[in-house]
């Protein structure tokens, strides 16, 4: 009598296995988003209504404010632009101490405008840990009270976080050694990350490679800071190779969170930028460098994929800032981070959508936009050595087989066989596949075994293709 137990044919198992691998390789890592900070410490800015039109004309779909100005929020109503608002540091004490104060603030500043104005998040305070008024003890209680107020108004889709500066880190180099300052961990960092984890929110981080370069120009390559072609920096702790200073800074924050067991918390870069003008001692502040940094960053974000440590996490960034603000105190650079003059003319030419991006910068021929369709040479796909040999080999097998990559150059005796390492061969194969797929979003993933870079990979004398 035949057994009633069914058996799956071997051929079907092989097919299912292949389909599973194929799906994992094809899983698209969504491209990140580019927003802009709309600061208003100036006496010559256009009206909020004109600013909204400017944002729409430029294709900017996310904006971050430093307050809850009723004029601005009203102007943004019905625009389709997602808005991050802020509860300023000076209100943290009252918000932390009194739930009714938080309730009233949410009623007056959030529920009165939402959903006509698409408020997506609230920044409770800004760089609180360096606030000279010592508002740090009030931060997490204030965040919790604002959240409680959102619950009462049935507005929990709005996320709550608080931007931190990189000065919250005790160590940031190499990135793998990232750690928070010990005196912050127990009183505020852990409670804040726990709150973000529980509410499904993310950590807001303000990161400026300009400051690191300015202070260490004799040690940091300008190309490394500006996302321009460079030889890269290998992290001695985890072996990952970095081609941009911003990636290393963000991974230092990820490493710091991991060190205290908060690996699941995501991140949004709420401020980053480069000044177009500075004082004589502000090394690197120039229009060409600002164009290069912001233009290359936009391209970096919109091509998809994350940092070397978190390659599957897309980058979401807010450029600082929309306008040059003539009333900001401090060095000249503080008044010259703007992408636009108050006249609404661009300070330099970059675009904010996938249709084009600028490279610009010192040493380049020009700073004109380059359309994505003819974007050959702007991005490459390389292997993530941390993914492990099994994933790398599976990726090579797919790319060089079903994927149709040209893997002849990595055969023994061919031009790119050396260096004879799995990571080098995988990088070549992955990039060949990526270029053949017209550098489409998600075609440089390979189940987390690859990520996009904006600098040409360097493996001995091997030259990587930039298009077919």
């Amino acid at each position: 009598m035949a057994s009633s137990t069914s058996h799956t044919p071997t051929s079907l198992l092989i097919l299912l296995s292949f389909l599973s691998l194929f799906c994992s390789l094809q899983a698209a890592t969504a491209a990140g988003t580019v927003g802009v900070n709309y600061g208003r410490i100036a006496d010559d800015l256009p009206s909020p209504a004109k600013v909204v039109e400017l944002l729409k004309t430029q294709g900017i779909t996310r904006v971050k404010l430093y307050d809850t100005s009723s004029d601005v929020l009203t102007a943004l109503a019905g625009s389709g632009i997602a808005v991050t608002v802020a509860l300023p540091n000076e209100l943290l004490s009252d918000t932390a101490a009194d739930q009714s104060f938080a309730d009233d603030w949410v009623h007056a500043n959030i529920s009165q405008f939402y959903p006509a104005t698409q408020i997506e998040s609230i920044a409770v305070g800004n760089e609180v840990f360096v606030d000279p008024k010592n508002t740090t003890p009030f931060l997490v209680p204030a965040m919790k009270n604002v959240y409680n107020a959102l619950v009462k108004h049935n507005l929990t889709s709005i996320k709550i976080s608080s931007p931190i500066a990189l000065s919250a880190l005790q160590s940031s180099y190499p990135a793998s050694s990232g750690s928070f300052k010990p005196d912050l961990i127990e009183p505020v960092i852990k409670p804040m990350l726990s709150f973000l984890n529980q509410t499904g929110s993310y950590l807001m981080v303000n990161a400026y490679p300009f400051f690191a370069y300015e202070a260490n120009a004799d040690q940091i390559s300008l190309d490394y800071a500006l996302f321009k072609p460079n030889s890269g920096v290998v992290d001695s702790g985890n072996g990952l190779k970095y081609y941009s200073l911003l990636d290393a800074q963000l991974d230092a924050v990820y490493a710091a969170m991991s060190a205290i067991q908060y690996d699941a918390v995501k991140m949004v870069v709420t401020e980053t930028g480069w000044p177009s003008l500075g004082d004589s001692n502000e090394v690197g502040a120039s229009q060409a460098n600002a164009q290069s940094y912001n233009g290359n960053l936009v391209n970096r974000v919109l091509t998809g994929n994350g940092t070397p440590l978190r390659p599957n996490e897309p980058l979401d960034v807010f450029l600082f800032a929309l306008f040059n603000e003539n009333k900001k105190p401090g060095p000249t650079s503080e008044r010259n981070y703007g992408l636009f003059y108050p006249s609404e003319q661009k300070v330099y030419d970059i675009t904010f959508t996938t249709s084009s991006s600028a490279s610009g910068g010192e040493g380049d021929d020009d700073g004109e936009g380059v359309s994505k369709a003819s974007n050959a040479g702007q991005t490459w796909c390389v292997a993530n050595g941390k993914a492990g040999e099994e994933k790398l080999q599976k990726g090579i097998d797919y790319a060089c087989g079903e994927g149709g990559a040209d893997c002849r150059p990595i055969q023994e005796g061919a031009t790119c066989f050396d260096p004879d390492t799995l990571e080098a061969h995988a990088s070549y194969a992955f990039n060949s596949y990526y270029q053949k797929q017209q550098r489409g979003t998600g075609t440089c993933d390979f189940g987390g075994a690859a990520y996009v870079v904006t600098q040409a990979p360097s493996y001995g004398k091997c030259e990587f293709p930039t298009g077919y």
Side-chain angles (χ1 to χ4, degrees):
M1 184 177 178
S3 169
S4 61
T5 305
S6 62
H7 297 277
T8 304
T10 302
S11 59
L12 181 56
L13 287 174
I14 294 173
L15 176 61
L16 290 173
S17 177
F18 171 79
L19 288 174
S20 176
L21 171 62
F22 180 82
C23 289
S24 68
L25 295 176
Q26 294 295 311
T29 300
T33 60
V34 176
V36 67
N37 284 276
Y38 175 18
R40 305 191 319 283
I41 305 178
D43 61 7
D44 55 355
L45 298 182
S47 68
K50 287 187 176 180
V51 171
V52 171
E53 287 307 308
L54 176 65
L55 295 172
K56 292 167 70 175
T57 300
Q58 297 297 322
I60 298 172
T61 59
R62 299 180 81 188
V63 67
K64 178 172 164 285
L65 310 178
Y66 290 89
D67 55 21
T68 52
S69 163
S70 60
D71 290 343
V72 175
L73 291 177
T74 299
L76 284 162
S79 66
I81 296 170
V83 185
T84 295
V85 299
L87 184 148
N89 290 358
E90 54 265 28
L91 297 183
L92 289 175
S93 176
D94 289 339
T95 307
D98 186 355
Q99 180 63 60
S100 64
F101 183 91
D103 294 344
D104 292 343
W105 186 87
V106 166
H107 177 74
N109 297 283
I110 306 298
S111 63
Q112 292 295 307
F113 301 97
Y114 184 90
T117 301
Q118 192 180 324
I119 299 172
E120 64 173 343
S121 60
I122 301 171
V124 177
N126 184 53
E127 298 186 354
V128 172
F129 307 151
V130 293
D131 186 347
K133 295 182 179 179
N134 192 30
T135 51
T136 299
F138 310 121
L139 177 58
V140 177
M143 293 171 74
K144 290 181 176 179
N145 281 349
V146 172
Y147 180 77
N148 291 338
L150 291 178
V151 171
K152 293 177 182 179
H153 287 84
N154 197 27
L155 296 174
T156 54
S157 62
I158 298 173
K159 302 300 182 185
I160 293 176
S161 187
S162 184
I164 68 168
L166 290 182
S167 58
L169 297 180
Q170 175 76 12
S171 172
S172 61
Y173 181 81
S176 58
S177 72
S179 61
F180 291 110
K181 289 180 176 177
D183 61 324
L184 294 175
I185 293 175
E186 295 299 331
V188 63
I189 294 292
K190 281 187 175 180
M192 180 174 66
L193 293 177
S194 176
F195 170 80
L196 297 178
N197 197 37
Q198 290 169 7
T199 58
S201 190
Y202 41 80
L203 180 65
M204 294 177 169
V205 176
N206 296 343
Y208 288 88
F210 169 71
F211 294 140
Y213 174 76
E214 179 194 22
N216 303 278
D218 58 333
Q219 301 174 47
I220 297 175
S221 159
L222 180 60
D223 289 344
Y224 182 63
L226 298 179
F227 301 94
K228 293 169 70 175
N230 63 87
S231 58
V233 177
V234 176
D235 188 308
S236 58
N238 58 24
L240 293 176
K241 196 168 191 178
Y242 288 86
Y243 293 96
S244 78
L245 181 54
L246 180 65
D247 276 356
Q249 290 180 330
L250 300 183
D251 274 356
V253 179
Y254 278 128
M257 289 195 288
S258 181
I260 54 175
Q261 287 75 54
Y262 282 96
D263 299 86
V265 177
K266 298 183 185 300
M267 187 192 304
V268 169
V269 181
T270 37
E271 285 184 22
T272 190
W274 198 283
S276 61
L277 184 66
D279 295 320
S280 59
N281 64 336
E282 293 186 283
V283 182
S286 74
Q287 190 171 111
N289 287 342
Q291 179 184 29
S292 184
Y293 179 82
N294 285 317
N296 287 336
L297 174 58
V298 170
N299 186 47
R300 162 79 175 80
V301 168
L302 297 181
T303 54
N305 294 65
T307 65
L309 195 60
R310 298 284 182 89
N312 293 322
E313 294 287 347
L315 285 177
D316 294 319
V317 305
F318 288 86
L319 301 179
F320 185 88
L322 185 57
F323 294 108
N324 284 341
E325 299 172 64
N326 67 347
K327 293 299 183 180
K328 292 198 74 173
T332 297
S333 62
E334 286 295 315
R335 293 174 290 284
N336 289 278
Y337 275 91
L339 301 165
F340 294 87
Y341 294 110
S343 65
E344 300 183 45
Q345 295 299 307
K346 286 184 177 181
V347 177
Y348 42 83
D349 188 33
I350 68 167
T351 53
F352 309 96
T353 64
T354 55
S355 60
S356 60
S357 176
S359 55
E362 294 170 359
D364 289 336
D365 293 335
D366 57 57
E368 296 180 2
V370 181
S371 78
K372 192 173 183 185
S374 60
N375 196 25
Q378 290 298 306
T379 57
W380 293 261
C381 183
V382 297
N384 175 10
K386 197 177 179 184
E389 292 185 1
E390 184 179 353
K391 273 193 174 182
L392 293 180
Q393 188 60 56
K394 284 183 178 180
I396 290 175
D397 292 344
Y398 173 76
C400 297
E402 183 75 15
D406 180 9
C407 295
R408 291 172 295 178
I410 56 175
Q411 303 305 309
E412 188 168 2
T415 54
C416 291
F417 178 72
D418 290 321
D420 182 17
T421 66
L422 185 63
E423 183 177 350
H425 288 181
S427 288
Y428 189 92
F430 295 170
N431 183 67
S432 176
Y433 175 81
Y434 174 66
Q435 301 297 337
K436 281 181 176 288
Q437 298 297 318
Q438 302 300 308
R439 301 173 298 280
T441 299
T443 60
C444 179
D445 184 40
F446 294 92
Y451 59 96
V452 172
V453 296
T454 55
Q455 296 79 28
S458 177
Y459 286 98
K461 297 179 180 179
C462 178
E463 292 187 5
F464 278 49
T466 56
Y468 290 95

